[in-house]
Coordinates of all heavy atoms in Angstrom, one line a residue:
L1 N 161.1 -25.7 170.2 CA 160.5 -25.7 168.9 C 159.6 -24.4 168.7 O 158.9 -24.0 169.6 CB 159.6 -27.0 168.8 CG 158.8 -27.0 167.5 CD1 159.6 -27.2 166.3 CD2 157.8 -28.2 167.6
F2 N 159.9 -23.7 167.7 CA 159.2 -22.5 167.4 C 158.4 -22.6 166.1 O 159.1 -22.9 165.0 CB 160.1 -21.3 167.4 CG 160.9 -21.0 168.6 CD1 162.1 -21.5 168.9 CD2 160.2 -20.2 169.6 CE1 162.7 -21.3 170.0 CE2 160.9 -20.0 170.8 CZ 162.1 -20.5 171.1
E3 N 157.1 -22.4 166.1 CA 156.3 -22.4 164.9 C 156.1 -21.0 164.6 O 155.8 -20.1 165.5 CB 155.0 -23.1 165.2 CG 155.1 -24.5 165.3 CD 153.8 -25.2 165.4 OE1 152.8 -24.7 164.8 OE2 153.8 -26.3 166.1
K4 N 156.3 -20.5 163.3 CA 156.2 -19.2 162.9 C 155.3 -19.1 161.7 O 155.3 -19.9 160.8 CB 157.5 -18.6 162.7 CG 158.4 -19.2 161.6 CD 159.8 -18.7 161.5 CE 160.5 -19.2 160.4 NZ 160.0 -18.9 159.1
G5 N 154.5 -18.0 161.6 CA 153.6 -17.8 160.5 C 154.2 -16.8 159.5 O 153.6 -16.5 158.5
T6 N 155.4 -16.3 159.9 CA 156.0 -15.3 159.0 C 157.5 -15.6 158.8 O 157.9 -16.7 159.3 CB 155.9 -13.9 159.7 OG1 156.7 -13.9 160.9 CG2 154.6 -13.5 160.0
F7 N 158.2 -14.9 158.1 CA 159.6 -15.2 157.7 C 160.5 -15.2 159.0 O 161.3 -16.0 159.2 CB 160.2 -14.2 156.7 CG 159.4 -14.2 155.4 CD1 159.2 -13.0 154.8 CD2 159.1 -15.3 154.9 CE1 158.6 -13.0 153.6 CE2 158.5 -15.4 153.6 CZ 158.1 -14.2 153.0
G8 N 160.3 -14.2 159.8 CA 161.0 -14.1 161.1 C 160.1 -14.3 162.3 O 159.0 -14.1 162.3
S9 N 160.8 -14.8 163.4 CA 160.1 -15.1 164.6 C 160.5 -14.3 165.8 O 161.6 -14.5 166.2 CB 160.3 -16.7 164.9 OG 159.8 -17.0 166.2
V10 N 159.6 -13.4 166.2 CA 159.9 -12.6 167.3 C 160.2 -13.4 168.6 O 161.0 -13.2 169.4 CB 158.8 -11.5 167.5 CG1 159.0 -10.7 168.8 CG2 158.9 -10.5 166.3
E11 N 159.4 -14.5 168.6 CA 159.4 -15.4 169.8 C 160.8 -16.1 169.8 O 161.4 -16.2 170.9 CB 158.4 -16.5 169.6 CG 158.3 -17.5 170.8 CD 157.3 -18.6 170.7 OE1 156.7 -18.7 169.6 OE2 157.2 -19.3 171.7
L12 N 161.3 -16.4 168.7 CA 162.7 -17.0 168.7 C 163.7 -16.0 169.1 O 164.6 -16.2 169.9 CB 163.0 -17.5 167.3 CG 164.5 -18.0 167.0 CD1 164.9 -19.1 167.9 CD2 164.6 -18.4 165.6
A13 N 163.6 -14.7 168.6 CA 164.5 -13.6 168.9 C 164.5 -13.3 170.4 O 165.5 -13.1 171.0 CB 164.2 -12.4 168.0
E14 N 163.3 -13.3 171.0 CA 163.3 -13.1 172.4 C 163.8 -14.3 173.2 O 164.5 -14.0 174.2 CB 161.8 -12.9 172.8 CG 161.2 -11.6 172.3 CD 159.7 -11.4 172.6 OE1 159.0 -12.4 172.8 OE2 159.3 -10.3 172.4
Y15 N 163.6 -15.5 172.7 CA 164.3 -16.6 173.4 C 165.7 -16.5 173.4 O 166.4 -16.9 174.3 CB 163.8 -17.9 172.8 CG 164.4 -19.2 173.4 CD1 164.0 -19.7 174.5 CD2 165.4 -19.8 172.6 CE1 164.5 -20.9 175.0 CE2 166.1 -20.9 173.1 CZ 165.6 -21.5 174.3 OH 166.2 -22.6 174.7
A16 N 166.3 -16.1 172.2 CA 167.7 -16.0 171.9 C 168.4 -15.0 172.9 O 169.7 -15.1 173.1 CB 168.0 -15.7 170.5
R17 N 167.6 -14.2 173.5 CA 168.2 -13.1 174.4 C 168.9 -13.7 175.6 O 169.7 -13.1 176.2 CB 167.1 -12.1 174.8 CG 166.6 -11.3 173.8 CD 165.5 -10.4 174.1 NE 166.0 -9.2 174.6 CZ 165.3 -8.1 175.0 NH1 163.9 -8.2 174.9 NH2 165.9 -7.0 175.2
A18 N 168.5 -14.9 175.8 CA 169.2 -15.6 177.0 C 170.6 -16.1 176.7 O 171.3 -16.6 177.7 CB 168.3 -16.8 177.4
F19 N 171.0 -16.0 175.5 CA 172.3 -16.5 175.2 C 173.3 -15.5 174.7 O 172.9 -14.5 174.1 CB 172.2 -17.6 174.0 CG 171.2 -18.7 174.4 CD1 169.9 -18.6 174.1 CD2 171.7 -19.8 175.1 CE1 169.0 -19.6 174.5 CE2 170.8 -20.8 175.5 CZ 169.5 -20.7 175.2
D20 N 174.6 -15.7 174.9 CA 175.6 -14.7 174.5 C 176.1 -15.1 173.0 O 176.6 -14.2 172.3 CB 176.9 -14.9 175.3 CG 176.7 -14.5 176.8 OD1 175.9 -13.6 176.9 OD2 177.3 -15.0 177.7
E21 N 175.8 -16.3 172.5 CA 176.1 -16.8 171.2 C 175.0 -17.4 170.6 O 174.4 -18.3 171.3 CB 177.4 -17.6 171.1 CG 178.6 -17.0 171.5 CD 179.8 -17.8 171.3 OE1 179.7 -19.0 171.1 OE2 181.0 -17.3 171.5
V22 N 174.7 -17.2 169.4 CA 173.6 -18.0 168.6 C 174.1 -18.3 167.2 O 174.7 -17.5 166.6 CB 172.3 -17.0 168.5 CG1 171.3 -17.7 167.8 CG2 171.9 -16.5 169.8
L23 N 174.0 -19.5 166.9 CA 174.3 -20.1 165.6 C 173.0 -20.5 164.8 O 172.3 -21.3 165.3 CB 175.3 -21.2 165.7 CG 175.7 -21.9 164.5 CD1 176.4 -20.9 163.5 CD2 176.6 -23.2 164.6
L24 N 172.9 -19.9 163.6 CA 171.8 -20.3 162.8 C 172.1 -20.9 161.5 O 173.2 -20.7 161.0 CB 170.9 -18.9 162.4 CG 170.4 -18.1 163.5 CD1 169.9 -16.8 163.0 CD2 169.3 -18.8 164.2
C25 N 171.2 -21.8 161.0 CA 171.4 -22.4 159.7 C 169.9 -22.6 159.2 O 169.0 -22.6 159.9 CB 172.2 -23.7 159.7 SG 171.5 -25.0 160.6
G26 N 169.8 -22.8 157.9 CA 168.4 -23.1 157.4 C 168.2 -22.9 155.9 O 169.2 -22.6 155.3
V27 N 167.1 -23.1 155.5 CA 166.8 -23.0 154.1 C 166.2 -21.6 153.9 O 165.5 -21.0 154.8 CB 165.6 -24.0 153.6 CG1 165.2 -23.9 152.2 CG2 166.3 -25.4 153.8
C28 N 166.4 -21.1 152.8 CA 166.0 -19.7 152.4 C 166.8 -18.6 153.1 O 166.3 -17.8 153.9 CB 164.5 -19.4 152.4 SG 163.6 -20.2 151.0
T29 N 168.1 -18.7 152.8 CA 169.0 -17.7 153.4 C 168.5 -16.3 153.3 O 168.5 -15.5 154.2 CB 170.4 -17.7 152.7 OG1 170.8 -19.1 152.5 CG2 171.5 -17.0 153.5
D30 N 167.9 -16.0 152.1 CA 167.5 -14.7 151.7 C 166.1 -14.3 152.2 O 165.7 -13.2 151.9 CB 167.6 -14.5 150.2 CG 167.1 -15.7 149.4 OD1 167.4 -16.8 149.7 OD2 166.3 -15.5 148.4
I31 N 165.5 -15.2 152.9 CA 164.2 -15.0 153.4 C 164.2 -15.1 154.9 O 164.3 -14.3 155.7 CB 163.1 -15.6 152.7 CG1 163.0 -15.4 151.2 CG2 161.7 -15.3 153.3 CD1 162.1 -16.2 150.3
C32 N 164.1 -16.4 155.4 CA 163.9 -16.8 156.7 C 165.2 -16.6 157.6 O 165.1 -16.0 158.7 CB 163.4 -18.2 156.9 SG 161.8 -18.4 156.2
V33 N 166.3 -17.1 157.0 CA 167.6 -17.0 157.8 C 168.0 -15.5 158.0 O 168.2 -15.1 159.2 CB 168.7 -17.7 157.1 CG1 170.0 -17.6 157.9 CG2 168.4 -19.2 156.9
V34 N 167.9 -14.7 157.1 CA 168.2 -13.3 157.2 C 167.3 -12.6 158.2 O 167.8 -11.8 159.0 CB 168.4 -12.5 155.9 CG1 167.1 -12.4 155.2 CG2 169.2 -11.2 156.1
S35 N 166.0 -12.9 158.0 CA 165.0 -12.2 158.9 C 165.3 -12.6 160.3 O 165.3 -11.7 161.3 CB 163.6 -12.7 158.5 OG 163.3 -12.3 157.2
N36 N 165.5 -13.8 160.7 CA 165.7 -14.2 162.0 C 167.1 -13.7 162.6 O 167.2 -13.3 163.7 CB 165.6 -15.8 162.2 CG 164.2 -16.3 162.1 OD1 163.4 -15.8 163.0 ND2 163.9 -17.1 161.2
A37 N 168.0 -13.7 161.8 CA 169.4 -13.3 162.2 C 169.3 -11.9 162.5 O 169.9 -11.4 163.6 CB 170.5 -13.5 161.1
L38 N 168.7 -11.1 161.7 CA 168.6 -9.6 162.0 C 167.6 -9.2 163.2 O 167.9 -8.4 163.9 CB 168.1 -8.9 160.8 CG 169.1 -8.9 159.7 CD1 168.7 -8.2 158.4 CD2 170.5 -8.4 160.0
L39 N 166.5 -10.1 163.3 CA 165.8 -9.9 164.5 C 166.6 -10.3 165.8 O 166.4 -9.4 166.8 CB 164.5 -10.8 164.4 CG 163.3 -10.3 163.7 CD1 162.3 -11.4 163.5 CD2 162.7 -9.2 164.3
I40 N 167.3 -11.3 165.8 CA 168.1 -11.7 167.0 C 169.1 -10.6 167.3 O 169.3 -10.2 168.4 CB 168.8 -13.0 166.8 CG1 167.6 -14.1 166.8 CG2 169.7 -13.3 167.9 CD1 168.1 -15.5 166.4
K41 N 169.7 -10.1 166.2 CA 170.8 -9.1 166.4 C 170.2 -7.8 166.9 O 170.8 -7.1 167.7 CB 171.6 -8.8 165.1 CG 172.8 -8.1 165.2 CD 173.8 -8.8 166.1 CE 175.1 -8.1 166.2 NZ 176.0 -8.7 167.2
A42 N 169.0 -7.4 166.4 CA 168.3 -6.2 166.9 C 167.9 -6.3 168.5 O 168.1 -5.3 169.1 CB 167.1 -6.0 166.1
L43 N 167.4 -7.4 168.8 CA 167.0 -7.6 170.3 C 168.2 -7.9 171.2 O 168.2 -7.6 172.4 CB 166.0 -8.7 170.3 CG 164.7 -8.4 169.8 CD1 163.7 -9.6 170.0 CD2 164.1 -7.1 170.4
S44 N 169.3 -8.4 170.7 CA 170.6 -8.7 171.4 C 171.8 -8.1 170.7 O 172.6 -9.0 170.3 CB 170.6 -10.2 171.6 OG 169.5 -10.8 172.2
P45 N 171.9 -6.9 170.7 CA 173.0 -6.3 169.9 C 174.4 -6.7 170.3 O 175.3 -6.6 169.5 CB 172.8 -4.8 170.0 CG 171.9 -4.6 171.2 CD 171.1 -5.8 171.3
E46 N 174.6 -7.1 171.6 CA 175.9 -7.4 172.0 C 176.2 -9.0 171.8 O 177.3 -9.4 172.1 CB 176.1 -7.1 173.6 CG 175.9 -5.5 173.8 CD 176.9 -4.7 173.0 OE1 178.1 -5.2 172.9 OE2 176.4 -3.7 172.4
A47 N 175.2 -9.7 171.5 CA 175.3 -11.2 171.3 C 176.2 -11.5 170.0 O 176.2 -10.7 169.1 CB 173.9 -11.9 171.3
R48 N 176.9 -12.6 170.1 CA 177.6 -13.0 168.9 C 176.6 -13.9 168.0 O 176.2 -14.9 168.5 CB 178.8 -13.9 169.3 CG 179.6 -14.4 168.1 CD 180.8 -15.2 168.6 NE 181.5 -15.6 167.4 CZ 182.3 -16.7 167.4 NH1 182.6 -17.3 168.6 NH2 183.0 -17.0 166.4
V49 N 176.1 -13.3 167.0 CA 175.2 -14.0 166.1 C 175.9 -14.6 164.9 O 176.6 -13.7 164.2 CB 174.0 -13.0 165.7 CG1 173.0 -13.8 164.8 CG2 173.3 -12.6 167.0
M50 N 175.8 -15.8 164.6 CA 176.5 -16.4 163.6 C 175.6 -17.2 162.7 O 174.5 -17.6 163.1 CB 177.5 -17.4 164.1 CG 178.5 -16.8 165.0 SD 179.4 -18.0 166.0 CE 178.3 -18.4 167.3
V51 N 175.9 -17.3 161.4 CA 175.2 -18.1 160.5 C 176.1 -19.0 159.7 O 177.2 -18.6 159.3 CB 174.5 -17.1 159.4 CG1 173.9 -18.0 158.3 CG2 173.4 -16.3 160.1
A52 N 175.8 -20.3 159.8 CA 176.6 -21.3 159.1 C 176.3 -21.1 157.6 O 175.3 -21.7 157.1 CB 176.3 -22.7 159.6
G53 N 177.1 -20.4 156.8 CA 176.7 -20.2 155.4 C 176.6 -21.4 154.5 O 175.8 -21.4 153.7
R54 N 177.5 -22.3 154.8 CA 177.4 -23.6 154.0 C 176.3 -24.5 154.4 O 176.1 -25.5 153.8 CB 178.7 -24.2 153.8 CG 179.7 -23.4 153.2 CD 181.0 -24.0 152.7 NE 181.8 -24.7 153.8 CZ 182.9 -25.4 153.7 NH1 183.5 -25.4 152.6 NH2 183.4 -26.0 154.8
A55 N 175.6 -24.2 155.5 CA 174.5 -24.9 155.9 C 173.2 -24.3 155.7 O 172.2 -24.6 156.2 CB 174.6 -25.3 157.4
C56 N 173.3 -23.4 154.7 CA 172.0 -22.7 154.3 C 171.9 -22.7 152.8 O 172.8 -23.0 152.1 CB 172.1 -21.1 154.7 SG 172.2 -20.8 156.5
A57 N 170.7 -22.4 152.3 CA 170.5 -22.4 150.9 C 169.5 -21.2 150.6 O 168.6 -21.0 151.2 CB 169.9 -23.7 150.3
G58 N 169.7 -20.5 149.5 CA 168.9 -19.4 149.1 C 168.1 -19.8 147.9 O 168.2 -21.0 147.4
V59 N 167.2 -19.0 147.6 CA 166.3 -19.2 146.4 C 167.1 -19.4 145.1 O 166.8 -20.2 144.3 CB 165.2 -18.1 146.2 CG1 164.4 -18.2 145.0 CG2 164.3 -18.0 147.5
T60 N 168.2 -18.6 145.0 CA 169.2 -18.7 144.0 C 170.6 -18.5 144.6 O 170.6 -17.9 145.7 CB 168.9 -17.6 142.9 OG1 169.3 -16.3 143.5 CG2 167.6 -17.6 142.3
P61 N 171.6 -18.9 143.9 CA 172.9 -18.6 144.5 C 173.2 -17.2 144.7 O 173.9 -16.8 145.7 CB 173.8 -19.4 143.4 CG 173.1 -20.4 142.8 CD 171.6 -19.8 142.8
A62 N 172.8 -16.4 143.8 CA 172.9 -14.9 143.8 C 172.2 -14.3 145.1 O 172.8 -13.5 145.9 CB 172.5 -14.2 142.6
A63 N 171.0 -14.8 145.3 CA 170.2 -14.4 146.5 C 170.8 -14.8 147.9 O 170.8 -14.1 148.8 CB 168.8 -14.8 146.4
H64 N 171.4 -16.0 147.8 CA 172.1 -16.6 149.0 C 173.3 -15.7 149.3 O 173.5 -15.2 150.5 CB 172.5 -18.0 148.7 CG 173.4 -18.6 149.7 ND1 173.0 -19.0 151.0 CD2 174.7 -18.8 149.7 CE1 174.0 -19.5 151.6 NE2 175.1 -19.4 150.9
A65 N 174.1 -15.3 148.3 CA 175.3 -14.6 148.5 C 174.9 -13.1 149.0 O 175.6 -12.6 149.8 CB 176.1 -14.5 147.2
A66 N 173.9 -12.6 148.4 CA 173.5 -11.2 148.8 C 173.0 -11.2 150.2 O 173.3 -10.3 151.0 CB 172.4 -10.6 147.9
A67 N 172.3 -12.3 150.6 CA 171.8 -12.3 152.1 C 173.0 -12.4 153.1 O 173.0 -11.8 154.0 CB 170.9 -13.5 152.1
L68 N 174.0 -13.3 152.7 CA 175.2 -13.4 153.5 C 175.9 -12.1 153.6 O 176.3 -11.6 154.7 CB 176.1 -14.5 152.9 CG 175.6 -15.9 152.9 CD1 176.6 -16.8 152.3 CD2 175.2 -16.4 154.3
R69 N 176.0 -11.3 152.5 CA 176.6 -10.0 152.6 C 175.8 -9.0 153.4 O 176.4 -8.3 154.2 CB 176.8 -9.4 151.2 CG 177.9 -10.0 150.4 CD 178.2 -9.2 149.1 NE 177.1 -9.0 148.2 CZ 176.7 -9.9 147.3 NH1 177.2 -11.1 147.2 NH2 175.7 -9.6 146.5
T70 N 174.5 -9.1 153.3 CA 173.7 -8.2 154.1 C 173.9 -8.5 155.6 O 174.0 -7.6 156.4 CB 172.1 -8.4 153.7 OG1 172.0 -8.0 152.3 CG2 171.3 -7.6 154.7
M71 N 173.8 -9.8 155.9 CA 174.0 -10.1 157.3 C 175.4 -9.7 157.9 O 175.5 -9.2 159.0 CB 173.8 -11.6 157.6 CG 172.3 -12.0 157.5 SD 172.0 -13.7 157.8 CE 172.5 -14.5 156.2
E72 N 176.4 -9.8 157.1 CA 177.8 -9.4 157.4 C 177.8 -7.9 157.7 O 178.4 -7.5 158.7 CB 178.8 -9.8 156.4 CG 179.2 -11.2 156.4 CD 180.3 -11.5 155.4 OE1 180.2 -11.1 154.2 OE2 181.3 -12.2 155.8
S73 N 177.1 -7.2 156.9 CA 177.1 -5.7 157.1 C 176.3 -5.3 158.3 O 176.5 -4.2 158.8 CB 176.4 -5.0 155.8 OG 175.1 -5.2 155.7
C74 N 175.6 -6.2 158.9 CA 174.8 -5.9 160.2 C 175.5 -6.7 161.3 O 174.8 -7.0 162.3 CB 173.3 -6.4 160.0 SG 172.5 -5.3 158.8
Q75 N 176.7 -7.0 161.2 CA 177.6 -7.6 162.4 C 177.1 -9.0 162.7 O 177.2 -9.4 163.8 CB 177.5 -6.6 163.6 CG 178.2 -5.3 163.3 CD 178.1 -4.4 164.5 OE1 177.3 -4.5 165.4 NE2 179.1 -3.5 164.6
V76 N 176.5 -9.7 161.7 CA 176.3 -11.1 161.9 C 177.5 -11.9 161.2 O 177.7 -11.6 160.1 CB 174.9 -11.5 161.2 CG1 174.7 -13.1 161.2 CG2 173.8 -10.9 161.9
E77 N 178.1 -12.8 162.0 CA 179.3 -13.5 161.4 C 178.7 -14.7 160.6 O 177.9 -15.4 160.9 CB 180.1 -14.1 162.6 CG 180.8 -13.1 163.4 CD 181.5 -13.8 164.6 OE1 182.4 -14.6 164.3 OE2 181.3 -13.4 165.7
I78 N 179.4 -14.8 159.5 CA 179.2 -15.9 158.5 C 180.3 -16.9 158.8 O 181.5 -16.6 158.6 CB 179.1 -15.5 157.1 CG1 178.2 -14.3 156.8 CG2 178.8 -16.7 156.2 CD1 176.8 -14.6 157.3
V79 N 180.0 -18.1 159.3 CA 181.0 -19.1 159.6 C 180.8 -20.3 158.8 O 179.8 -20.5 158.1 CB 181.0 -19.4 161.1 CG1 181.2 -18.3 162.0 CG2 179.6 -20.1 161.5

């Protein structure tokens, strides 16, 4: 369990370094999910970072789609 006071959790990203694969889902694709996915990818560039796109929700459908595209462009897989 990670409690965070901001959109992304450095503590979560550091914990994820122990894994070769990480699968994320959550609410606010365009805020929290994208922040955490990119933090994890930055600290573990060789890890397979995935986001379950249909298990997430954005502030708006357009913001959700834009966040998914952003993550894809940063080598995060949308599954």
Side-chain angles (χ1 to χ4, degrees):
L1 175 65
F2 296 92
E3 292 185 29
K4 58 184 188 66
T6 62
F7 298 139
S9 171
V10 174
E11 183 182 7
L12 172 63
E14 289 174 346
Y15 175 80
R17 293 175 91 172
F19 302 95
D20 295 329
E21 294 186 351
V22 178
L23 175 62
L24 299 169
C25 65
V27 178
C28 282
T29 318
D30 45 313
I31 300 172
C32 295
V33 177
V34 70
S35 297
N36 284 300
L38 296 180
L39 277 170
I40 292 168
K41 195 63 179 173
L43 290 181
S44 303
E46 300 303 317
R48 181 179 182 200
V49 180
M50 301 165 283
V51 170
R54 294 193 308 181
C56 297
V59 174
T60 67
H64 171 75
L68 295 178
R69 285 192 306 275
T70 297
M71 289 184 280
E72 281 183 313
S73 71
C74 294
Q75 300 179 333
V76 172
E77 293 179 54
I78 308 305
V79 296

